[in-house]
């Protein structure tokens, strides 16, 4: 529901970074030919196609060829992780995920334009009724990282995006190698998050399988124990950074951003 250049959101972040780090080059990714298309595509363009387009943008940008830092907000966090895993050239140096749902989410729906709008209501009902149907998976972005702990088999079988990048159907050694090439993988969790269920997904944790009450941290998941993505090795090497910030989803102060996030970009 956001766009690359919205002056009160991503556009503001871009100007903030440029102001605080003089001379830095910032590319705010746009999916589509204008802001309206960019916003619409955040709901309706297949995530795999979005990732493909971003990889193309990065590969053809002369400013980024020696490497770049990536920062994603909410669903942008896991989308950029897919970029890191699938597109190693140019190299991503640090990945900063701010409120990204790396084990997916279930029940509820991240904030979208107009909480009472018909669009939001329709998307919620569609997800509840058929998140893992082929038509919904292909055409509704939020379904592609919908992870229902009560339907784990359906998720592993039918999720066309998250189950793939989380190595749920087998090990893609290239994904693992590329992610482990990061210098730092920074994950920010909002401690009072009411938009992401469960909030621990922002630190790669999730519900214990088969129920939707008790959560476990990343270190207790099979993804970590089997080291299917290299996260265990990265953790032991000090490459994983877990940050918590008070506030609801994407609610943070400029002071916190300056002192906590900007150092990873310098």
């Amino acid at each position: 529901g956001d766009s690359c250049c919205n002056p009160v959101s991503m556009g503001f972040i871009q100007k903030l970074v440029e102001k605080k780090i003089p001379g830095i080059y910032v590319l705010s990714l746009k999916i589509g030919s204008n802001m309206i298309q960019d916003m619409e595509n955040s709901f309706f363009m297949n995530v795999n196609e979005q990732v493909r387009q971003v990889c193309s943008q990065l590969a053809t940008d002369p400013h980024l060829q020696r490497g770049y830092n990536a920062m994603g907000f909410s669903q942008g966090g896991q989308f950029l992780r897919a970029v890191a895993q699938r597109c190693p050239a140019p190299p991503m140096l640090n990945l900063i995920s701010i409120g990204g749902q790396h084990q997916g989410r279930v029940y509820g729906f991240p904030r979208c334009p107009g909480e009472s709008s018909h669009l939001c209501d329709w998307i919620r009902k569609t997800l509840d009724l058929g998140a893992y149907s082929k038509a919904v998976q292909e055409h509704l972005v939020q379904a592609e990282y919908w992870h229902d702990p009560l339907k784990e088999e359906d998720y592993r079988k039918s999720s066309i995006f998250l189950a793939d990048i989380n190595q749920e159907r087998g090990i893609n050694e290239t994904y693992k190698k590329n992610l482990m090439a990061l210098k730092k993988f920074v994950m920010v969790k909002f401690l009072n998050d009411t938009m992401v269920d469960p909030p621990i997904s922002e630190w790669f944790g999730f519900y214990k399988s088969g129920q939707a009450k008790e959560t476990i941290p990343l270190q207790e998941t099979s993804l970590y124990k089997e080291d299917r993505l290299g996260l265990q090795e990265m953790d032991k090497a000090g490459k994983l950074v877990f940050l918590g910030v008070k506030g609801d989803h994407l609610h943070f102060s400029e002071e916190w951003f300056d002192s906590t996030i900007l150092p990873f970009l310098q």
Side-chain angles (χ1 to χ4, degrees):
D2 203 349
S3 69
C4 65
C5 317
N6 187 328
V8 299
S9 56
M10 289 301 95
F12 174 80
I13 293 293
Q14 178 174 354
K15 289 183 178 179
L16 181 63
V17 173
E18 290 171 337
K19 180 178 72 173
K20 299 290 184 178
I21 309 177
I24 195 173
Y25 173 72
V26 180
L27 171 66
S28 190
L29 293 162
K30 180 169 64 175
I31 312 295
S33 59
N34 55 54
M35 284 179 58
I36 298 298
Q37 285 187 5
D38 193 25
M39 184 273 287
E40 291 175 344
N41 287 336
S42 73
F43 290 115
F44 302 118
M45 179 183 278
N46 185 301
V47 180
N48 295 306
E49 174 60 19
Q50 292 192 51
V51 170
R52 189 194 66 77
Q53 289 193 21
V54 167
C55 289
S56 178
Q57 288 185 43
L58 299 175
T60 55
D61 191 320
H63 297 90
L64 305 178
Q65 298 314 299
R66 290 187 297 173
Y68 64 95
N69 296 310
M71 180 163 54
F73 294 79
S74 196
Q75 66 186 31
Q78 68 260 35
F79 296 177
L80 278 173
R81 175 165 63 84
V83 171
Q85 292 175 206
R86 294 175 178 175
C87 306
M92 185 184 294
L93 306 177
N94 295 303
L95 172 57
I96 303 166
S97 168
I98 300 181
Q101 305 97 28
H102 292 282
Q103 285 276 26
R105 43 164 268 283
V106 69
Y107 314 130
F109 181 51
R111 197 181 308 278
C112 68
E115 277 299 301
S116 61
S117 75
H118 294 303
L119 174 63
C120 297
D121 290 340
W122 177 82
I123 291 175
R124 289 189 183 96
K125 290 177 182 177
T126 301
L127 288 169
D128 286 338
L129 291 173
Y132 297 124
S133 70
K134 189 174 187 297
V136 174
Q137 282 286 313
E138 290 285 349
H139 300 292
L140 185 58
V141 166
Q142 287 69 36
E144 296 179 49
Y145 57 92
W146 190 255
H147 186 174
D148 190 335
L150 305 181
K151 299 178 180 178
E152 288 283 0
E153 192 56 38
D154 290 341
Y155 160 69
R156 282 191 289 270
K157 178 181 177 182
S158 302
S159 170
I160 66 172
F161 174 69
L162 190 69
D164 175 66
I165 66 167
N166 280 5
Q167 309 272 49
E168 298 283 3
R169 292 189 286 265
I171 306 300
N172 182 326
E173 292 293 344
T174 300
Y175 282 5
K176 183 174 179 178
K177 175 186 174 183
N178 291 342
L179 189 65
M180 290 176 64
L182 289 172
K183 293 181 178 179
K184 295 288 183 183
F185 179 7
V186 181
M187 288 170 270
V188 176
K189 172 187 170 188
F190 291 90
L191 301 179
N192 310 104
D193 204 317
T194 62
M195 296 296 130
V196 176
D197 186 358
I200 200 171
S201 179
E202 297 168 8
W203 280 349
F204 242 117
F206 202 60
Y207 289 115
K208 272 190 174 179
S209 184
Q211 50 86 59
K213 291 185 179 180
E214 186 180 355
T215 62
I216 55 175
L218 166 63
Q219 289 78 4
E220 294 180 24
T221 65
S222 59
L223 176 68
Y224 185 92
K225 290 178 178 179
E226 297 168 10
D227 211 16
R228 299 199 304 265
L229 265 179
L231 293 171
Q232 182 185 135
E233 193 168 335
M234 292 176 72
D235 194 17
K236 291 178 179 177
K239 289 187 172 186
L240 301 186
V241 181
F242 300 90
L243 301 176
V245 58
K246 292 180 179 179
D248 204 345
H249 194 59
L250 299 187
H251 287 204
F252 56 86
S253 68
E254 186 174 331
E255 292 74 22
W256 173 84
F257 185 81
D258 289 353
S259 63
T260 309
I261 300 302
L262 288 182
F264 292 104
L265 302 177
Q266 294 172 309

